Amino acid sequence: MAKKAFFIAGTDTNVGKTLVAAGLLVAAKNLGLTTAALKPVAAGCEKTDSGLRNADALLLQSVITETMVYEQINPIALEAAIAPHIAAQQEKRVLSADRLAGFCRGSLHQANVTLIEGAGGWRVPLNPSETMADLARILRLPVILVVGVRLGCINHALLTVEAIRNDGLTLAGWVANCVDADMPVLQENIQSLAARIPAPCLGVVPWLDAAQPKAVAAALHTESVAHLFSN
């Protein structure tokens, strides 16, 4: 079975990238595939007896099939829940796309499916001259875009799709994640996105009061996910 890796991007922060990534990993496991995941840089980590820990990275760790120590999944853990480049400045640390890519490369080929999750949106800065997009660009990974379905999502999604393609990367698919419980004309928005995004929709995740990866996996389009991960 071929080993594939994808970069998980979002149209903004708090659009459910990690939850959707976890759902995709559960779906891959349900297809009989081995899985691994990384969140190379995470801001908003809590102090524990084992060191700084990020809830998103821990969620990814909880659903993968391969054994990965926390530091493999989240090599750069920053305490402040703010933009990562600012959090790094506060801790007198330097982020670079090359260094993050180096952390990722060692884990790219240990599972059938490996997901690498970015932080925030596509153009979140890493330093004065690089953004999160540079990590995906250096690794040359196809991108799965998580669209947070709320007011303004069409514009945010289409601008992100445009940026991904302008950066020379392939948009492998996208997931609509309904983050607004009271989103007006929901279906019309999803239809508008589907008509304009030149990649397959991998699923529409409804508003979930207590969102869990298994519920997300159940909302994904099994055939589309299987095609993406297995071919």
Side-chain angles (χ1 to χ4, degrees):
M1 179 72 70
K3 292 178 169 57
K4 293 190 170 187
F6 301 86
F7 189 87
I8 303 293
T11 49
D12 200 350
T13 192
N14 292 326
V15 297
K17 290 190 306 299
T18 305
L19 182 64
V20 170
L24 286 164
L25 291 164
V26 170
K29 180 181 178 181
N30 291 342
L31 292 168
L33 304 173
T34 58
T35 59
L38 296 95
K39 190 173 178 69
V41 57
C45 300
E46 294 186 3
K47 290 181 179 178
T48 73
D49 292 340
S50 302
L52 289 173
R53 293 292 184 264
N54 176 263
D56 290 346
L58 290 171
L59 179 61
L60 295 175
Q61 187 180 37
S62 73
V63 297
I64 57 176
T65 67
E66 302 303 281
T67 300
M68 299 177 70
V69 300
Y70 181 85
E71 290 75 15
Q72 284 180 281
I73 295 171
N74 176 214
I76 303 294
L78 304 167
E79 187 171 357
I82 55 179
H85 70 296
I86 299 175
Q89 288 172 1
Q90 291 182 350
E91 296 184 21
K92 295 181 170 51
R93 302 175 71 176
V94 177
L95 301 178
S96 80
D98 272 329
R99 185 165 180 241
L100 293 177
F103 288 131
C104 295
R105 287 193 181 101
S107 301
L108 284 181
H109 304 295
Q110 69 182 76
N112 299 134
V113 176
T114 301
L115 301 184
I116 297 178
E117 184 193 336
W122 188 249
R123 292 285 187 231
V124 164
L126 292 174
N127 56 50
S129 61
E130 293 182 313
T131 70
M132 191 61 62
D134 288 298
L135 172 59
R137 185 181 53 78
I138 290 170
L139 293 172
R140 303 302 304 169
L141 292 178
V143 179
I144 297 174
L145 179 63
V146 179
V147 178
V149 181
R150 58 193 179 201
L151 189 63
C153 65
I154 297 174
N155 179 63
H156 290 168
L158 297 184
L159 286 174
T160 305
V161 168
E162 181 180 331
I164 291 167
R165 299 179 79 188
N166 285 345
D167 285 340
L169 296 176
T170 299
L171 180 64
W174 62 283
V175 177
N177 185 33
C178 300
V179 296
D180 184 350
D182 300 312
M183 175 74 180
V185 291
L186 174 62
Q187 291 306 316
E188 290 84 348
N189 275 269
I190 292 172
Q191 290 167 5
S192 294
L193 288 164
R196 291 166 174 81
I197 296 178
C201 177
L202 303 176
V204 177
V205 181
W207 164 259
L208 298 169
D209 191 35
Q212 297 294 330
K214 288 184 179 180
V216 174
L220 298 174
H221 301 324
T222 302
E223 289 186 3
S224 297
V225 173
H227 180 80
L228 182 65
F229 287 164
S230 302
N231 294 329

